[in-house]
Amino acid sequence: MRAIRRFTVRPVLPAELQPLAELVANLRWSWHPPTQDVFRTVDPEVWEQVNHDPVRLLGTVSRARLEELAGDGEFLAALGAAHADLTAYLTDERWYHQRGGEDAPAAIGYFSPEFGITHVLPQYSGGLGILAGDHLKAASDLGVALVGVGLLYKYGYFKQSLSREGWQQETYPVLDPDELPITPLREADGSRATVTIAMPDGPDLVARIWVAQVGRVPLLLLDSDMEENPQHLREVTDRLYGGTSEHRLRQELLLGVGGVRALRVYSRLTGAPDPEVFHTNEGHAGFLGLERIRELTVAEGGPGLDFDTALEVSRAGTVFTTHTPVPAGIDRFPLELVEQYFGGNSPTPGVPVERIVALGAEDYDGGDPAVFNMAVMGFRLAQRANGVSLLHGHVSRGMFNGLWPAFDEAEVPIGSITNGVHASTWVAREIFELAAEYGVDVDEDPDQLWSLVDKIPGKEIWGLKRVLRERLVLDARGRLAKSYAKRGFAPAEYSWTDAALDPDVLTIGFARRVPSYKRLTLMLSDPERLKALLLHPERPVQLVIAGKSHPADDGGKRLIQELVRFADDPEVRHRIVFLPNYDIAMAQPLYPGCDVWLNNPLRPYEACGTSGMKAALNGGLNLSILDGWWDEWYDGSNGWAIPSADGVDDPDRRDDLEATSLYDLIENEVAPKFYDVDADGVPPRWLEMVRHTLKSLGPKVLARRMVRDYVRTLYAPAAHNARALNSDFAGARELTGWKKRVRSSWSGVRVEHVESSGVGDAPEVGATLTVRAFVALGELGPADVDVQVVAGTTTPDDLLLDDSVEVTSMAVAETYEGGRFRFDAAVAIDHSGAFGYTVRVVPRHPSLTSVAELGLVALPG
């Protein structure tokens, strides 16, 4: 018999246990083991049954047990200590307050389509969401004044299982908000706080606002599943990365436009400061810039700026991070769909639809005039942009060079901040406990760990890794048995899973999304050679593999099926396993339990790849193609680099070459080091690499480092520029007028003649080259431009090499009639070899962040 209505009844806690509700309500528990221990003590059996979900724990445990705990002095002492610790964490002064500085933003709005905080709040699909979650957690640890903004999906992403034949199957369990660690934002009268967005076909989309408290950082989640909405609008927040183009457009309108409105509601109700900086984590939230322009132009009570001035104000305080090096990963909508939504009954009424369309137009060589590109709009609406590793920054500058065609790739205004991971979330608690035995509180400051690495005896480190490996093996066996049962196998057919894997065998992990470029099945290129590695009599290897394919990606599903079929082979199934439904709960024992983390994408399509960072923090060694962060920080001793056959055009041939290199490395370097043990059973050469990995990578891969980098290089400068333009908007109006004047007058800017002296026919290092440039500026003046000598090493066809270029500004030496000037500069020749130079003119203004910002340059001839 089915119930006609379902709802969640929340428990009434005895007064003595009220601090328990506060601990549950703050997601800091998800990275704080002592708080988890308190939850476990409430009822250890139920804690395991509810998969470590404290909300479900309190909804399941009996009232009699709660009354018993209310009189348990030992439990109340532990509860009081955990509550006091949370209170101190939320109120103590942190790095952000200590750094001071006038440029620290009062608040930063951080927008992302997904957030991976904990497995009990399944609002993420993969790396982008996990990165966003780690960003919020690290910001909380540092005291950064961040507010997250996202969507609350009724079904989350999806749960993955396998058919008997190994084909991925998706299910979408309904998530009840009342069973999640979130609370509704309420108006003063107790009603639920909402935002509304106009839809072209009416009625308005209404979304309520939920708050997930991530330590110090509030995360606002918008939910359209409300009775006020018709069915098609209730379904806007149904699932992550699903549906038609129009469905995705509605989601991104809610995230961007609705997200800004939700921030305004949150500030009004809580007294929190309005954000000075808006961070768009990938292009999905790009429409936030249009809402900010609406606020500044036509909104009631706003300053009533014109569109161009409002654009400058909005851009100054906006940061855009691109995460994909794959054009297919960028949202592109049909132009007519965007015109339909922003014309007429627009979600941003008063903002001209033709200006909106222009912001996302691919109006450059090779662009498609029929589409609206969310990443292109993201770059045009943000004054500061970055990729997520050095290599990805380079790739992004190449991908989007068309937006700044007059400039070489090196000067395209897209920088880099390499991602990091949140140590307290991903490092095994036993590592922290071992550090504590040596007097270091790693939870308070992970940077203290690196000084300990050489002090801990190898036998202790190796013993700990064995404990972590065994935990992974036991966890994997349980998951494997459940998977085979769900696939329809009888218990007698999977009884072998009780002995699958071995805690004393070299364990390699591979877990990530399964698009084709990540090459899940590269390891299967030579099945017989892989079998030989898995079954080696003295140096066996075992593989633990996980990953989801997008529901619409049948190619990715075929890769999973191919691997599952190989892993089903009775000959090797005890040495290679595929674990379905990869999520945070699976990942937390997986990273610490692996000895080696494998990553073999098609270079350079891995933007960053933070899973290998998590393994490294747990004493794992990386075995990876030189892509993403590994290209940047591999030093020859902290793991192994799989040689990449970049110049080979035949993809099958390339895969074969790189797979052979992978097999060779495992057989000849990885396995021998792991199994070459001393009299104590400890592998000294392996541990030398582990120690070096922790010391060389540990400080770099932390999300704390990443967030500090964002504050120093993006957030604080953006706040500075935004204040300069926002104070009375005079600065914004001046900048807007200056840009219009420069653009309209640029056709009159010419480098008419260049001459040089100071070097003879045989110049030597140390010589000084004197350059004179005769420049016509037309209606502009010398203060409007920077005339530059660009010099460096040249190729045989006279191209200046990007990494050798030095730029020297020239000074006005003489003034002539008709807006003509002579500019002079002296350039020191400080290296031998082919040398060349040119002269160029670029716009100059104190509010510009890059010479390429306007895309204008004048060159000789």
Side-chain angles (χ1 to χ4, degrees):
M1 186 182 303
R2 294 179 63 87
I4 62 170
R5 185 183 175 201
R6 176 177 179 272
F7 51 88
T8 299
V9 180
R10 292 187 177 268
V12 177
L13 294 175
E16 296 86 350
L17 300 185
Q18 283 304 313
L20 198 56
E22 294 183 43
L23 292 179
V24 171
N26 194 306
L27 289 171
R28 192 222 181 189
W29 63 258
S30 67
W31 71 89
H32 192 244
T35 304
Q36 296 167 25
D37 290 341
V38 171
F39 297 150
R40 181 179 292 104
T41 305
V42 168
D43 191 317
E45 186 176 337
V46 172
W47 179 244
E48 295 303 322
Q49 289 173 359
V50 299
N51 195 21
H52 299 179
D53 181 340
V55 176
R56 291 177 59 203
L57 171 75
L58 293 189
T60 304
V61 70
S62 69
R63 182 168 183 82
R65 175 58 178 162
L66 293 176
E67 295 291 350
E68 180 184 352
L69 290 170
D72 184 333
E74 186 176 346
F75 176 79
L76 293 178
L79 174 60
H83 184 259
D85 186 84
L86 175 63
T87 301
Y89 175 85
L90 297 176
T91 57
D92 285 352
E93 190 174 76
R94 297 265 160 172
W95 171 82
Y96 194 68
H97 311 98
Q98 295 164 354
R99 72 178 294 276
E102 295 180 358
D103 289 341
I108 302 141
Y110 182 89
F111 289 65
S112 179
E114 50 176 305
F115 286 90
I117 310 293
T118 165
H119 69 283
V120 306
L121 187 61
Q123 302 292 309
Y124 59 94
S125 72
L128 179 68
I130 300 299
L131 180 279
D134 282 8
H135 196 109
L136 263 57
K137 293 172 185 176
S140 173
D141 291 342
L142 295 169
V144 178
L146 205 73
V147 183
V149 181
L151 301 181
L152 181 69
Y153 303 98
K154 182 176 182 179
Y155 302 104
Y157 190 41
F158 67 88
K159 285 198 170 184
Q160 177 198 46
S161 60
L162 301 171
S163 72
R164 190 177 183 96
E165 294 74 30
W167 188 257
Q168 173 179 293
Q169 297 177 319
E170 302 93 23
T171 55
Y172 294 88
V174 176
L175 300 173
D176 180 355
D178 289 328
E179 292 183 342
L180 299 176
I182 56 178
T183 56
L185 184 65
R186 296 191 180 277
E187 296 285 351
D189 62 3
S191 62
R192 293 202 167 188
T194 61
V195 296
T196 59
I197 301 176
M199 293 283 108
D201 51 355
D204 289 354
L205 167 64
V206 183
R208 55 190 168 183
I209 307 168
W210 298 87
V211 182
Q213 195 64 38
V214 187
R216 292 168 170 255
V217 173
L219 169 58
L220 311 183
L221 297 170
L222 298 175
D223 169 21
S224 70
D225 187 22
M226 300 180 63
E227 292 181 0
E228 293 93 320
N229 289 321
Q231 189 62 32
H232 71 287
L233 295 184
R234 292 188 71 165
E235 293 174 352
V236 167
T237 56
D238 60 351
R239 62 191 61 180
L240 180 60
Y241 302 143
T244 64
S245 288
E246 185 171 12
H247 184 74
R248 289 286 292 276
L249 180 64
R250 288 172 179 159
Q251 286 187 331
E252 296 183 9
L253 284 169
L254 180 57
L255 176 59
V257 176
V260 173
R261 294 176 186 175
L263 280 171
R264 304 307 186 202
V265 173
Y266 180 79
S267 293
R268 172 174 60 80
L269 294 176
T270 66
D274 282 318
E276 294 184 278
V277 173
F278 292 76
H279 185 172
T280 307
N281 190 40
E282 197 46 272
H284 309 285
F287 291 127
L288 72 86
L290 304 183
E291 171 62 8
R292 296 188 64 214
I293 290 171
R294 186 198 68 82
E295 291 179 329
L296 292 163
T297 54
V298 298
E300 184 178 350
L305 306 178
D306 63 274
F307 181 94
D308 291 310
T309 303
L311 175 61
E312 295 303 333
V313 172
S314 178
R315 285 184 75 248
T318 302
V319 172
F320 174 55
T321 299
T322 176
H323 285 264
T324 179
V326 184
I330 296 169
D331 278 334
R332 300 162 83 224
F333 296 110
L335 207 59
E336 61 269 20
L337 184 64
V338 175
E339 291 171 334
Q340 173 193 343
Y341 268 77
F342 285 97
N345 194 32
S346 170
T348 53
V351 181
V353 64
E354 65 275 9
R355 298 300 301 266
I356 294 172
V357 167
L359 287 169
E362 293 186 0
D363 52 357
Y364 44 80
D365 287 346
D368 183 348
V371 302
F372 183 94
N373 187 309
M374 293 296 288
V376 167
M377 179 180 68
F379 286 116
R380 287 174 171 156
L381 284 174
Q383 194 174 36
R384 288 169 171 81
N386 69 290
V388 291
S389 69
L390 281 178
L391 179 59
H392 179 234
H394 167 70
V395 171
S396 298
R397 288 188 291 273
M399 281 178 64
F400 297 104
N401 207 156
L403 292 172
W404 300 273
F407 291 85
D408 292 339
E409 177 261 304
E411 290 189 310
V412 169
I414 304 174
S416 296
I417 292 180
T418 302
N419 285 343
V421 298
H422 186 246
S424 298
T425 295
W426 302 111
V427 175
R429 68 180 297 177
E430 288 85 354
I431 294 177
F432 287 179
E433 289 166 355
L434 179 60
E437 292 177 16
Y438 286 81
V440 169
D441 184 354
V442 184
D443 185 49
E444 185 63 29
D445 183 6
D447 289 327
Q448 297 180 65
L449 177 62
W450 325 127
S451 62
L452 277 185
V453 170
D454 290 328
K455 298 176 183 177
I456 301 175
K459 195 168 184 177
E460 281 194 70
I461 296 175
W462 192 238
L464 176 54
K465 281 301 294 184
R466 206 274 180 190
V467 167
L468 299 176
R469 201 183 304 117
E470 182 175 39
R471 176 186 299 156
L472 168 59
V473 166
L474 295 175
D475 183 75
R477 287 173 180 171
R479 293 178 185 275
L480 200 60
K482 290 178 182 176
S483 174
Y484 272 87
K486 197 159 189 176
R487 291 173 65 185
F489 289 87
E493 293 180 280
Y494 60 83
S495 60
W496 60 269
T497 59
D498 291 341
L501 306 177
D502 185 328
D504 293 307
V505 166
L506 169 60
T507 304
I508 300 177
F510 182 101
R512 50 191 37 85
R513 289 185 304 110
V514 190
S516 59
Y517 74 88
K518 291 183 183 283
R519 298 193 295 184
L520 169 70
T521 56
L522 185 71
M523 63 186 77
L524 301 183
S525 296
D526 185 341
E528 292 308 312
R529 187 155 185 203
L530 177 58
K531 282 186 178 182
L533 291 171
L534 296 172
L535 303 174
H536 194 285
E538 288 87 32
R539 298 192 299 271
V541 172
Q542 59 192 13
L543 281 158
V544 182
I545 304 162
K548 293 179 177 180
S549 176
H550 187 280
D553 183 6
D554 282 350
K557 293 180 184 180
R558 279 191 288 273
L559 296 178
I560 291 174
Q561 185 179 47
E562 182 182 350
L563 193 138
V564 170
R565 285 176 170 172
F566 180 88
D568 280 344
D569 183 347
E571 186 181 4
V572 296
R573 64 191 181 187
H574 63 300
R575 287 281 186 262
I576 178 170
V577 298
F578 181 89
L579 305 179
N581 204 41
Y582 180 46
D583 66 358
I584 291 174
M586 181 193 295
Q588 285 177 320
L590 177 58
Y591 296 121
C594 287
D595 303 294
V596 172
W597 196 258
L598 175 62
N599 189 25
N600 46 231
L602 192 65
R603 189 180 191 272
Y605 295 134
E606 184 77 270
C608 187
T610 55
S611 58
M613 296 179 174
K614 300 174 186 114
L617 284 177
N618 284 283
L621 303 179
N622 277 266
L623 172 61
S624 176
I625 293 285
L626 286 172
D627 201 3
W629 73 274
W630 190 235
D631 179 76
E632 186 176 338
W633 288 332
Y634 168 67
D635 66 8
S637 299
N638 53 12
W640 296 271
I642 304 169
S644 181
D646 292 353
V648 177
D649 294 330
D650 180 349
D652 293 333
R653 173 65 176 155
R654 178 172 179 168
D655 285 354
D656 287 343
L657 289 170
E658 295 182 6
T660 298
S661 296
L662 170 61
Y663 299 139
D664 288 345
L665 281 168
I666 294 173
E667 181 177 7
N668 301 322
E669 295 192 38
V670 180
K673 277 191 172 70
F674 182 87
Y675 287 105
D676 179 18
V677 298
D678 60 20
D680 292 326
V682 174
R685 293 191 299 157
W686 185 272
L687 286 185
E688 183 181 351
M689 292 184 71
V690 169
R691 294 183 197 275
H692 179 69
T693 290
L694 289 168
K695 290 185 293 184
S696 65
L697 295 179
K700 297 176 182 176
V701 302
L702 294 180
R704 291 186 186 219
R705 185 272 313 153
M706 173 188 71
V707 172
R708 286 188 185 112
D709 287 349
Y710 272 101
V711 170
R712 290 166 176 153
T713 65
L714 293 177
Y715 296 160
H720 176 84
N721 263 25
R723 290 168 185 165
L725 300 185
N726 260 341
S727 55
D728 58 5
F729 302 110
R733 292 187 177 95
E734 185 277 328
L735 177 61
T736 302
W738 177 85
K739 283 190 173 182
K740 287 180 178 178
R741 181 168 59 86
V742 168
R743 287 191 175 107
S744 65
S745 304
W746 198 255
S747 60
V749 177
R750 299 184 305 278
V751 180
E752 296 183 327
H753 176 66
V754 178
E755 57 187 42
S756 62
S757 61
V759 295
D761 295 335
E764 297 178 344
V765 173
T768 298
L769 176 71
T770 300
V771 181
R772 290 182 171 184
F774 297 86
V775 177
L777 295 180
E779 299 299 319
L780 302 179
D784 297 317
V785 301
D786 191 11
V787 182
Q788 302 172 335
V789 180
V790 184
T793 302
T794 58
T795 66
D797 52 358
D798 295 334
L799 293 176
L800 289 165
L801 295 175
D802 284 349
D803 58 0
S804 73
V805 162
E806 293 188 7
V807 176
T808 303
S809 293
M810 306 182 73
V812 176
E814 291 187 5
T815 302
Y816 310 110
E817 294 181 355
R820 295 172 63 249
F821 303 87
R822 192 191 94 206
F823 291 81
D824 291 356
V827 178
I829 301 177
D830 58 4
H831 62 273
S832 58
F835 180 88
Y837 76 93
T838 189
V839 171
R840 70 178 181 186
V841 186
V842 293
R844 177 173 59 188
H845 190 280
S847 292
L848 300 185
T849 60
S850 162
V851 295
E853 186 167 320
L854 272 69
L856 300 175
V857 65
L859 296 164

